[in-house]
Every structure is written in structure tokens, then in C-alpha cells.
PDB file of all heavy atoms in Angstrom:
ATOM      1  N   GLY X   1     109.788 121.610  84.678  1.00 90.00           N
ATOM      2  CA  GLY X   1     110.975 122.429  84.859  1.00 90.00           C
ATOM      3  C   GLY X   1     111.434 122.966  83.497  1.00 90.00           C
ATOM      4  O   GLY X   1     110.781 122.763  82.483  1.00 90.00           O
ATOM      5  N   PRO X   2     112.608 123.634  83.416  1.00 93.00           N
ATOM      6  CA  PRO X   2     113.542 123.856  84.518  1.00 93.00           C
ATOM      7  C   PRO X   2     113.212 125.068  85.401  1.00 93.00           C
ATOM      8  O   PRO X   2     113.815 125.223  86.456  1.00 93.00           O
ATOM      9  CB  PRO X   2     114.874 124.079  83.799  1.00 93.00           C
ATOM     10  CG  PRO X   2     114.489 124.718  82.506  1.00 93.00           C
ATOM     11  CD  PRO X   2     113.191 124.055  82.127  1.00 93.00           C
ATOM     12  N   SER X   3     112.287 125.919  84.972  1.00 93.00           N
ATOM     13  CA  SER X   3     111.907 127.020  85.852  1.00 93.00           C
ATOM     14  C   SER X   3     111.130 126.457  87.030  1.00 93.00           C
ATOM     15  O   SER X   3     110.444 125.430  86.920  1.00 93.00           O
ATOM     16  CB  SER X   3     111.052 128.045  85.095  1.00 93.00           C
ATOM     17  OG  SER X   3     109.898 127.434  84.552  1.00 93.00           O
ATOM     18  N   PHE X   4     111.266 127.124  88.174  1.00 90.00           N
ATOM     19  CA  PHE X   4     110.512 126.705  89.346  1.00 90.00           C
ATOM     20  C   PHE X   4     109.044 127.102  89.198  1.00 90.00           C
ATOM     21  O   PHE X   4     108.679 127.936  88.355  1.00 90.00           O
ATOM     22  CB  PHE X   4     111.108 127.318  90.617  1.00 90.00           C
ATOM     23  CG  PHE X   4     112.400 126.679  91.043  1.00 90.00           C
ATOM     24  CD1 PHE X   4     113.615 127.226  90.681  1.00 90.00           C
ATOM     25  CD2 PHE X   4     112.399 125.517  91.803  1.00 90.00           C
ATOM     26  CE1 PHE X   4     114.812 126.636  91.054  1.00 90.00           C
ATOM     27  CE2 PHE X   4     113.575 124.912  92.186  1.00 90.00           C
ATOM     28  CZ  PHE X   4     114.796 125.474  91.813  1.00 90.00           C
ATOM     29  N   GLU X   5     108.203 126.512  90.031  1.00 92.00           N
ATOM     30  CA  GLU X   5     106.763 126.722  89.933  1.00 92.00           C
ATOM     31  C   GLU X   5     106.380 128.121  90.414  1.00 92.00           C
ATOM     32  O   GLU X   5     107.067 128.731  91.232  1.00 92.00           O
ATOM     33  CB  GLU X   5     106.035 125.676  90.788  1.00 92.00           C
ATOM     34  CG  GLU X   5     106.395 124.235  90.454  1.00 92.00           C
ATOM     35  CD  GLU X   5     107.729 123.788  91.027  1.00 92.00           C
ATOM     36  OE1 GLU X   5     108.159 124.359  92.056  1.00 92.00           O
ATOM     37  OE2 GLU X   5     108.361 122.903  90.430  1.00 92.00           O
ATOM     38  N   THR X   6     105.257 128.602  89.932  1.00 94.00           N
ATOM     39  CA  THR X   6     104.720 129.871  90.412  1.00 94.00           C
ATOM     40  C   THR X   6     103.860 129.617  91.650  1.00 94.00           C
ATOM     41  O   THR X   6     103.369 128.495  91.865  1.00 94.00           O
ATOM     42  CB  THR X   6     103.854 130.555  89.345  1.00 94.00           C
ATOM     43  OG1 THR X   6     102.656 129.765  89.148  1.00 94.00           O
ATOM     44  CG2 THR X   6     104.595 130.691  88.029  1.00 94.00           C
ATOM     45  N   PRO X   7     103.644 130.638  92.476  1.00 93.00           N
ATOM     46  CA  PRO X   7     102.732 130.460  93.608  1.00 93.00           C
ATOM     47  C   PRO X   7     101.343 129.988  93.183  1.00 93.00           C
ATOM     48  O   PRO X   7     100.712 129.184  93.890  1.00 93.00           O
ATOM     49  CB  PRO X   7     102.700 131.852  94.243  1.00 93.00           C
ATOM     50  CG  PRO X   7     104.039 132.435  93.922  1.00 93.00           C
ATOM     51  CD  PRO X   7     104.343 131.942  92.527  1.00 93.00           C
ATOM     52  N   ALA X   8     100.865 130.462  92.022  1.00 95.00           N
ATOM     53  CA  ALA X   8      99.544 130.038  91.549  1.00 95.00           C
ATOM     54  C   ALA X   8      99.536 128.553  91.206  1.00 95.00           C
ATOM     55  O   ALA X   8      98.559 127.839  91.489  1.00 95.00           O
ATOM     56  CB  ALA X   8      99.132 130.864  90.336  1.00 95.00           C
ATOM     57  N   GLU X   9     100.622 128.069  90.594  1.00 95.00           N
ATOM     58  CA  GLU X   9     100.703 126.645  90.278  1.00 95.00           C
ATOM     59  C   GLU X   9     100.748 125.809  91.557  1.00 95.00           C
ATOM     60  O   GLU X   9     100.142 124.733  91.622  1.00 95.00           O
ATOM     61  CB  GLU X   9     101.935 126.384  89.410  1.00 95.00           C
ATOM     62  CG  GLU X   9     101.783 126.903  87.990  1.00 95.00           C
ATOM     63  CD  GLU X   9     103.078 126.890  87.200  1.00 95.00           C
ATOM     64  OE1 GLU X   9     104.165 126.915  87.827  1.00 95.00           O
ATOM     65  OE2 GLU X   9     103.007 126.868  85.951  1.00 95.00           O
ATOM     66  N   ILE X  10     101.446 126.310  92.551  1.00 95.00           N
ATOM     67  CA  ILE X  10     101.505 125.593  93.824  1.00 95.00           C
ATOM     68  C   ILE X  10     100.123 125.531  94.462  1.00 95.00           C
ATOM     69  O   ILE X  10      99.697 124.490  94.964  1.00 95.00           O
ATOM     70  CB  ILE X  10     102.528 126.241  94.769  1.00 95.00           C
ATOM     71  CG1 ILE X  10     103.944 126.086  94.211  1.00 95.00           C
ATOM     72  CG2 ILE X  10     102.426 125.649  96.166  1.00 95.00           C
ATOM     73  CD1 ILE X  10     104.365 124.651  93.962  1.00 95.00           C
ATOM     74  N   ARG X  11      99.388 126.643  94.428  1.00 95.00           N
ATOM     75  CA  ARG X  11      98.029 126.622  94.984  1.00 95.00           C
ATOM     76  C   ARG X  11      97.170 125.621  94.233  1.00 95.00           C
ATOM     77  O   ARG X  11      96.340 124.915  94.825  1.00 95.00           O
ATOM     78  CB  ARG X  11      97.408 128.021  94.917  1.00 95.00           C
ATOM     79  CG  ARG X  11      98.035 129.026  95.873  1.00 95.00           C
ATOM     80  CD  ARG X  11      97.171 130.272  96.016  1.00 95.00           C
ATOM     81  NE  ARG X  11      96.995 130.996  94.758  1.00 95.00           N
ATOM     82  CZ  ARG X  11      97.812 131.943  94.312  1.00 95.00           C
ATOM     83  NH1 ARG X  11      98.890 132.275  95.022  1.00 95.00           N
ATOM     84  NH2 ARG X  11      97.566 132.558  93.169  1.00 95.00           N
ATOM     85  N   ALA X  12      97.367 125.534  92.900  1.00 96.00           N
ATOM     86  CA  ALA X  12      96.565 124.620  92.076  1.00 96.00           C
ATOM     87  C   ALA X  12      96.821 123.168  92.456  1.00 96.00           C
ATOM     88  O   ALA X  12      95.881 122.392  92.693  1.00 96.00           O
ATOM     89  CB  ALA X  12      96.869 124.851  90.600  1.00 96.00           C
ATOM     90  N   VAL X  13      98.103 122.772  92.527  1.00 96.00           N
ATOM     91  CA  VAL X  13      98.378 121.360  92.815  1.00 96.00           C
ATOM     92  C   VAL X  13      98.100 121.024  94.280  1.00 96.00           C
ATOM     93  O   VAL X  13      97.784 119.877  94.610  1.00 96.00           O
ATOM     94  CB  VAL X  13      99.820 120.949  92.442  1.00 96.00           C
ATOM     95  CG1 VAL X  13     100.001 120.980  90.944  1.00 96.00           C
ATOM     96  CG2 VAL X  13     100.859 121.784  93.143  1.00 96.00           C
ATOM     97  N   ARG X  14      98.194 122.025  95.139  1.00 96.00           N
ATOM     98  CA  ARG X  14      97.821 121.781  96.538  1.00 96.00           C
ATOM     99  C   ARG X  14      96.334 121.452  96.610  1.00 96.00           C
ATOM    100  O   ARG X  14      95.931 120.535  97.336  1.00 96.00           O
ATOM    101  CB  ARG X  14      98.146 123.022  97.375  1.00 96.00           C
ATOM    102  CG  ARG X  14      98.213 122.778  98.864  1.00 96.00           C
ATOM    103  CD  ARG X  14      98.615 124.041  99.596  1.00 96.00           C
ATOM    104  NE  ARG X  14      98.925 123.792 100.990  1.00 96.00           N
ATOM    105  CZ  ARG X  14      99.273 124.724 101.856  1.00 96.00           C
ATOM    106  NH1 ARG X  14      99.371 125.995 101.466  1.00 96.00           N
ATOM    107  NH2 ARG X  14      99.548 124.423 103.105  1.00 96.00           N
ATOM    108  N   THR X  15      95.523 122.170  95.848  1.00 97.00           N
ATOM    109  CA  THR X  15      94.086 121.889  95.789  1.00 97.00           C
ATOM    110  C   THR X  15      93.829 120.500  95.217  1.00 97.00           C
ATOM    111  O   THR X  15      92.896 119.803  95.642  1.00 97.00           O
ATOM    112  CB  THR X  15      93.379 122.951  94.930  1.00 97.00           C
ATOM    113  OG1 THR X  15      93.580 124.236  95.500  1.00 97.00           O
ATOM    114  CG2 THR X  15      91.890 122.665  94.811  1.00 97.00           C
ATOM    115  N   LEU X  16      94.681 120.083  94.274  1.00 96.00           N
ATOM    116  CA  LEU X  16      94.526 118.772  93.637  1.00 96.00           C
ATOM    117  C   LEU X  16      94.999 117.617  94.523  1.00 96.00           C
ATOM    118  O   LEU X  16      94.763 116.453  94.195  1.00 96.00           O
ATOM    119  CB  LEU X  16      95.289 118.746  92.313  1.00 96.00           C
ATOM    120  CG  LEU X  16      94.734 119.636  91.202  1.00 96.00           C
ATOM    121  CD1 LEU X  16      95.695 119.672  90.015  1.00 96.00           C
ATOM    122  CD2 LEU X  16      93.364 119.164  90.748  1.00 96.00           C
ATOM    123  N   GLY X  17      95.688 117.942  95.626  1.00 97.00           N
ATOM    124  CA  GLY X  17      96.095 116.894  96.555  1.00 97.00           C
ATOM    125  C   GLY X  17      97.575 116.617  96.631  1.00 97.00           C
ATOM    126  O   GLY X  17      97.981 115.616  97.240  1.00 97.00           O
ATOM    127  N   ALA X  18      98.412 117.479  96.025  1.00 98.00           N
ATOM    128  CA  ALA X  18      99.858 117.271  96.088  1.00 98.00           C
ATOM    129  C   ALA X  18     100.417 117.692  97.438  1.00 98.00           C
ATOM    130  O   ALA X  18      99.908 118.622  98.074  1.00 98.00           O
ATOM    131  CB  ALA X  18     100.551 118.051  94.975  1.00 98.00           C
ATOM    132  N   ASP X  19     101.478 117.009  97.854  1.00 98.00           N
ATOM    133  CA  ASP X  19     102.164 117.321  99.105  1.00 98.00           C
ATOM    134  C   ASP X  19     103.594 117.803  98.880  1.00 98.00           C
ATOM    135  O   ASP X  19     104.210 118.381  99.782  1.00 98.00           O
ATOM    136  CB  ASP X  19     102.198 116.077 100.001  1.00 98.00           C
ATOM    137  CG  ASP X  19     100.803 115.595 100.352  1.00 98.00           C
ATOM    138  OD1 ASP X  19     100.077 116.332 101.047  1.00 98.00           O
ATOM    139  OD2 ASP X  19     100.430 114.492  99.911  1.00 98.00           O
ATOM    140  N   ALA X  20     104.147 117.526  97.697  1.00 97.00           N
ATOM    141  CA  ALA X  20     105.497 117.973  97.351  1.00 97.00           C
ATOM    142  C   ALA X  20     105.566 118.125  95.835  1.00 97.00           C
ATOM    143  O   ALA X  20     104.764 117.523  95.098  1.00 97.00           O
ATOM    144  CB  ALA X  20     106.553 116.994  97.826  1.00 97.00           C
ATOM    145  N   VAL X  21     106.521 118.937  95.385  1.00 97.00           N
ATOM    146  CA  VAL X  21     106.677 119.161  93.948  1.00 97.00           C
ATOM    147  C   VAL X  21     108.141 118.977  93.554  1.00 97.00           C
ATOM    148  O   VAL X  21     109.052 119.223  94.348  1.00 97.00           O
ATOM    149  CB  VAL X  21     106.217 120.575  93.520  1.00 97.00           C
ATOM    150  CG1 VAL X  21     104.726 120.730  93.704  1.00 97.00           C
ATOM    151  CG2 VAL X  21     106.975 121.657  94.291  1.00 97.00           C
ATOM    152  N   GLY X  22     108.341 118.541  92.317  1.00 95.00           N
ATOM    153  CA  GLY X  22     109.689 118.369  91.814  1.00 95.00           C
ATOM    154  C   GLY X  22     109.692 118.177  90.309  1.00 95.00           C
ATOM    155  O   GLY X  22     108.639 118.189  89.667  1.00 95.00           O
ATOM    156  N   MET X  23     110.903 117.976  89.754  1.00 94.00           N
ATOM    157  CA  MET X  23     111.084 117.939  88.303  1.00 94.00           C
ATOM    158  C   MET X  23     111.596 116.589  87.812  1.00 94.00           C
ATOM    159  O   MET X  23     112.244 116.509  86.770  1.00 94.00           O
ATOM    160  CB  MET X  23     112.059 119.044  87.885  1.00 94.00           C
ATOM    161  CG  MET X  23     111.658 120.441  88.306  1.00 94.00           C
ATOM    162  SD  MET X  23     112.928 121.660  87.875  1.00 94.00           S
ATOM    163  CE  MET X  23     112.328 123.097  88.781  1.00 94.00           C
ATOM    164  N   SER X  24     111.319 115.516  88.558  1.00 94.00           N
ATOM    165  CA  SER X  24     111.852 114.205  88.167  1.00 94.00           C
ATOM    166  C   SER X  24     110.954 113.100  88.692  1.00 94.00           C
ATOM    167  O   SER X  24     109.788 113.328  89.026  1.00 94.00           O
ATOM    168  CB  SER X  24     113.273 114.046  88.734  1.00 94.00           C
ATOM    169  OG  SER X  24     113.240 113.992  90.162  1.00 94.00           O
ATOM    170  N   THR X  25     111.487 111.895  88.733  1.00 96.00           N
ATOM    171  CA  THR X  25     110.934 110.720  89.427  1.00 96.00           C
ATOM    172  C   THR X  25     109.735 110.085  88.727  1.00 96.00           C
ATOM    173  O   THR X  25     109.719 108.871  88.514  1.00 96.00           O
ATOM    174  CB  THR X  25     110.576 111.052  90.892  1.00 96.00           C
ATOM    175  OG1 THR X  25     111.774 111.479  91.562  1.00 96.00           O
ATOM    176  CG2 THR X  25     109.980 109.865  91.613  1.00 96.00           C
ATOM    177  N   VAL X  26     108.736 110.877  88.367  1.00 98.00           N
ATOM    178  CA  VAL X  26     107.527 110.307  87.768  1.00 98.00           C
ATOM    179  C   VAL X  26     107.830 109.564  86.465  1.00 98.00           C
ATOM    180  O   VAL X  26     107.336 108.441  86.268  1.00 98.00           O
ATOM    181  CB  VAL X  26     106.446 111.390  87.579  1.00 98.00           C
ATOM    182  CG1 VAL X  26     105.294 110.865  86.734  1.00 98.00           C
ATOM    183  CG2 VAL X  26     105.946 111.861  88.937  1.00 98.00           C
ATOM    184  N   PRO X  27     108.639 110.129  85.537  1.00 97.00           N
ATOM    185  CA  PRO X  27     108.939 109.354  84.330  1.00 97.00           C
ATOM    186  C   PRO X  27     109.615 108.024  84.635  1.00 97.00           C
ATOM    187  O   PRO X  27     109.290 107.002  84.027  1.00 97.00           O
ATOM    188  CB  PRO X  27     109.878 110.279  83.539  1.00 97.00           C
ATOM    189  CG  PRO X  27     109.600 111.639  84.035  1.00 97.00           C
ATOM    190  CD  PRO X  27     109.248 111.472  85.484  1.00 97.00           C
ATOM    191  N   GLU X  28     110.548 108.024  85.609  1.00 97.00           N
ATOM    192  CA  GLU X  28     111.228 106.776  85.952  1.00 97.00           C
ATOM    193  C   GLU X  28     110.273 105.781  86.604  1.00 97.00           C
ATOM    194  O   GLU X  28     110.392 104.573  86.399  1.00 97.00           O
ATOM    195  CB  GLU X  28     112.394 107.035  86.895  1.00 97.00           C
ATOM    196  CG  GLU X  28     113.520 107.854  86.305  1.00 97.00           C
ATOM    197  CD  GLU X  28     113.602 109.233  86.928  1.00 97.00           C
ATOM    198  OE1 GLU X  28     112.818 110.104  86.496  1.00 97.00           O
ATOM    199  OE2 GLU X  28     114.418 109.451  87.832  1.00 97.00           O
ATOM    200  N   ALA X  29     109.343 106.290  87.402  1.00 98.00           N
ATOM    201  CA  ALA X  29     108.364 105.396  88.029  1.00 98.00           C
ATOM    202  C   ALA X  29     107.502 104.720  86.964  1.00 98.00           C
ATOM    203  O   ALA X  29     107.249 103.509  87.023  1.00 98.00           O
ATOM    204  CB  ALA X  29     107.503 106.171  89.018  1.00 98.00           C
ATOM    205  N   ILE X  30     107.050 105.489  85.994  1.00 98.00           N
ATOM    206  CA  ILE X  30     106.219 104.926  84.920  1.00 98.00           C
ATOM    207  C   ILE X  30     107.018 103.918  84.104  1.00 98.00           C
ATOM    208  O   ILE X  30     106.546 102.807  83.802  1.00 98.00           O
ATOM    209  CB  ILE X  30     105.669 106.052  84.029  1.00 98.00           C
ATOM    210  CG1 ILE X  30     104.715 106.946  84.817  1.00 98.00           C
ATOM    211  CG2 ILE X  30     104.958 105.470  82.797  1.00 98.00           C
ATOM    212  CD1 ILE X  30     104.282 108.204  84.086  1.00 98.00           C
ATOM    213  N   LEU X  31     108.243 104.283  83.720  1.00 98.00           N
ATOM    214  CA  LEU X  31     109.090 103.364  82.954  1.00 98.00           C
ATOM    215  C   LEU X  31     109.375 102.086  83.744  1.00 98.00           C
ATOM    216  O   LEU X  31     109.384 100.989  83.178  1.00 98.00           O
ATOM    217  CB  LEU X  31     110.410 104.047  82.586  1.00 98.00           C
ATOM    218  CG  LEU X  31     110.344 105.077  81.461  1.00 98.00           C
ATOM    219  CD1 LEU X  31     111.632 105.896  81.423  1.00 98.00           C
ATOM    220  CD2 LEU X  31     110.111 104.390  80.111  1.00 98.00           C
ATOM    221  N   SER X  32     109.605 102.229  85.032  1.00 98.00           N
ATOM    222  CA  SER X  32     109.912 101.067  85.860  1.00 98.00           C
ATOM    223  C   SER X  32     108.736 100.113  85.956  1.00 98.00           C
ATOM    224  O   SER X  32     108.902  98.885  85.899  1.00 98.00           O
ATOM    225  CB  SER X  32     110.343 101.518  87.263  1.00 98.00           C
ATOM    226  OG  SER X  32     111.526 102.284  87.191  1.00 98.00           O
ATOM    227  N   ARG X  33     107.545 100.650  86.097  1.00 98.00           N
ATOM    228  CA  ARG X  33     106.365  99.788  86.123  1.00 98.00           C
ATOM    229  C   ARG X  33     106.173  99.121  84.756  1.00 98.00           C
ATOM    230  O   ARG X  33     105.774  97.959  84.678  1.00 98.00           O
ATOM    231  CB  ARG X  33     105.117 100.601  86.516  1.00 98.00           C
ATOM    232  CG  ARG X  33     105.169 101.181  87.912  1.00 98.00           C
ATOM    233  CD  ARG X  33     105.365 100.108  88.995  1.00 98.00           C
ATOM    234  NE  ARG X  33     104.284  99.126  88.951  1.00 98.00           N
ATOM    235  CZ  ARG X  33     104.475  97.808  88.897  1.00 98.00           C
ATOM    236  NH1 ARG X  33     105.700  97.301  88.869  1.00 98.00           N
ATOM    237  NH2 ARG X  33     103.429  97.006  88.875  1.00 98.00           N
ATOM    238  N   PHE X  34     106.447  99.838  83.684  1.00 98.00           N
ATOM    239  CA  PHE X  34     106.405  99.282  82.332  1.00 98.00           C
ATOM    240  C   PHE X  34     107.361  98.094  82.214  1.00 98.00           C
ATOM    241  O   PHE X  34     107.047  97.086  81.574  1.00 98.00           O
ATOM    242  CB  PHE X  34     106.774 100.376  81.336  1.00 98.00           C
ATOM    243  CG  PHE X  34     107.033  99.911  79.932  1.00 98.00           C
ATOM    244  CD1 PHE X  34     105.991  99.537  79.091  1.00 98.00           C
ATOM    245  CD2 PHE X  34     108.334  99.865  79.427  1.00 98.00           C
ATOM    246  CE1 PHE X  34     106.240  99.118  77.791  1.00 98.00           C
ATOM    247  CE2 PHE X  34     108.589  99.448  78.136  1.00 98.00           C
ATOM    248  CZ  PHE X  34     107.537  99.065  77.309  1.00 98.00           C
ATOM    249  N   LEU X  35     108.528  98.196  82.863  1.00 97.00           N
ATOM    250  CA  LEU X  35     109.541  97.143  82.802  1.00 97.00           C
ATOM    251  C   LEU X  35     109.295  96.024  83.812  1.00 97.00           C
ATOM    252  O   LEU X  35     110.017  95.033  83.822  1.00 97.00           O
ATOM    253  CB  LEU X  35     110.929  97.746  83.046  1.00 97.00           C
ATOM    254  CG  LEU X  35     111.426  98.721  81.979  1.00 97.00           C
ATOM    255  CD1 LEU X  35     112.688  99.440  82.454  1.00 97.00           C
ATOM    256  CD2 LEU X  35     111.682  97.989  80.662  1.00 97.00           C
ATOM    257  N   GLY X  36     108.290  96.186  84.666  1.00 97.00           N
ATOM    258  CA  GLY X  36     107.959  95.156  85.638  1.00 97.00           C
ATOM    259  C   GLY X  36     108.721  95.252  86.940  1.00 97.00           C
ATOM    260  O   GLY X  36     108.763  94.289  87.717  1.00 97.00           O
ATOM    261  N   LEU X  37     109.320  96.413  87.217  1.00 98.00           N
ATOM    262  CA  LEU X  37     110.055  96.618  88.457  1.00 98.00           C
ATOM    263  C   LEU X  37     109.118  97.092  89.569  1.00 98.00           C
ATOM    264  O   LEU X  37     108.189  97.868  89.314  1.00 98.00           O
ATOM    265  CB  LEU X  37     111.151  97.665  88.259  1.00 98.00           C
ATOM    266  CG  LEU X  37     112.247  97.350  87.236  1.00 98.00           C
ATOM    267  CD1 LEU X  37     113.141  98.571  87.043  1.00 98.00           C
ATOM    268  CD2 LEU X  37     113.058  96.150  87.675  1.00 98.00           C
ATOM    269  N   LYS X  38     109.383  96.647  90.784  1.00 98.00           N
ATOM    270  CA  LYS X  38     108.729  97.233  91.952  1.00 98.00           C
ATOM    271  C   LYS X  38     109.416  98.561  92.252  1.00 98.00           C
ATOM    272  O   LYS X  38     110.645  98.660  92.179  1.00 98.00           O
ATOM    273  CB  LYS X  38     108.837  96.304  93.157  1.00 98.00           C
ATOM    274  CG  LYS X  38     108.084  94.992  93.000  1.00 98.00           C
ATOM    275  CD  LYS X  38     108.243  94.137  94.246  1.00 98.00           C
ATOM    276  CE  LYS X  38     107.486  92.818  94.110  1.00 98.00           C
ATOM    277  NZ  LYS X  38     107.650  91.976  95.328  1.00 98.00           N
ATOM    278  N   VAL X  39     108.632  99.572  92.617  1.00 98.00           N
ATOM    279  CA  VAL X  39     109.179 100.916  92.774  1.00 98.00           C
ATOM    280  C   VAL X  39     108.771 101.522  94.104  1.00 98.00           C
ATOM    281  O   VAL X  39     107.638 101.371  94.569  1.00 98.00           O
ATOM    282  CB  VAL X  39     108.675 101.853  91.648  1.00 98.00           C
ATOM    283  CG1 VAL X  39     109.312 103.235  91.764  1.00 98.00           C
ATOM    284  CG2 VAL X  39     108.971 101.265  90.283  1.00 98.00           C
ATOM    285  N   ALA X  40     109.732 102.223  94.718  1.00 98.00           N
ATOM    286  CA  ALA X  40     109.442 103.125  95.830  1.00 98.00           C
ATOM    287  C   ALA X  40     110.217 104.409  95.572  1.00 98.00           C
ATOM    288  O   ALA X  40     111.190 104.423  94.807  1.00 98.00           O
ATOM    289  CB  ALA X  40     109.845 102.515  97.165  1.00 98.00           C
ATOM    290  N   ALA X  41     109.789 105.499  96.199  1.00 98.00           N
ATOM    291  CA  ALA X  41     110.450 106.787  95.989  1.00 98.00           C
ATOM    292  C   ALA X  41     110.436 107.591  97.277  1.00 98.00           C
ATOM    293  O   ALA X  41     109.445 107.589  98.010  1.00 98.00           O
ATOM    294  CB  ALA X  41     109.764 107.578  94.873  1.00 98.00           C
ATOM    295  N   VAL X  42     111.552 108.265  97.540  1.00 97.00           N
ATOM    296  CA  VAL X  42     111.681 109.118  98.717  1.00 97.00           C
ATOM    297  C   VAL X  42     112.153 110.500  98.263  1.00 97.00           C
ATOM    298  O   VAL X  42     113.123 110.620  97.516  1.00 97.00           O
ATOM    299  CB  VAL X  42     112.677 108.545  99.745  1.00 97.00           C
ATOM    300  CG1 VAL X  42     112.809 109.488 100.939  1.00 97.00           C
ATOM    301  CG2 VAL X  42     112.248 107.164 100.207  1.00 97.00           C
ATOM    302  N   SER X  43     111.458 111.527  98.727  1.00 96.00           N
ATOM    303  CA  SER X  43     111.838 112.915  98.459  1.00 96.00           C
ATOM    304  C   SER X  43     112.603 113.483  99.640  1.00 96.00           C
ATOM    305  O   SER X  43     112.174 113.329 100.792  1.00 96.00           O
ATOM    306  CB  SER X  43     110.596 113.780  98.209  1.00 96.00           C
ATOM    307  OG  SER X  43     109.905 113.376  97.050  1.00 96.00           O
ATOM    308  N   VAL X  44     113.727 114.119  99.349  1.00 93.00           N
ATOM    309  CA  VAL X  44     114.436 114.918 100.349  1.00 93.00           C
ATOM    310  C   VAL X  44     113.913 116.349 100.209  1.00 93.00           C
ATOM    311  O   VAL X  44     114.051 116.968  99.149  1.00 93.00           O
ATOM    312  CB  VAL X  44     115.953 114.875 100.132  1.00 93.00           C
ATOM    313  CG1 VAL X  44     116.661 115.883 101.027  1.00 93.00           C
ATOM    314  CG2 VAL X  44     116.485 113.478 100.391  1.00 93.00           C
TER     315      VAL X  44
END
């Protein structure tokens, strides 16, 4: 982010296996696993 994705970028990550896109969550998931926390995530 903060700009939204382009249609070409969406086609690229769709080919790579993505089902949703966003600008957060992944850094916190990595940090949480680093800290030894169990993690789950839900996208609205």
C-alpha cells in the first residue's frame, strides 16, 4: 500500500494462488510467530 493494486498485480497474485489481498496482517503474523504466539486471521 497505500495505493490499491493494479489489475495486472491482481492477475499475478491470482496466478500465484492468492484468494484475497490487503495491506496488513502478514507483518503481525510473522512477529507473533517470532514471539511464540498462536495466530489466526480473518478477512472481512
Side-chain angles (χ1 to χ4, degrees):
S3 58
F4 286 96
E5 305 78 26
T6 68
E9 288 169 336
I10 294 303
R11 290 194 298 271
V13 292
R14 198 177 191 182
T15 300
L16 292 172
D19 299 295
V21 293
M23 303 176 191
S24 66
T25 300
V26 170
E28 295 110 279
I30 295 171
L31 285 167
S32 297
R33 296 302 301 128
F34 169 75
L35 295 170
L37 298 173
K38 294 180 180 180
V39 183
V42 178
S43 296
V44 171

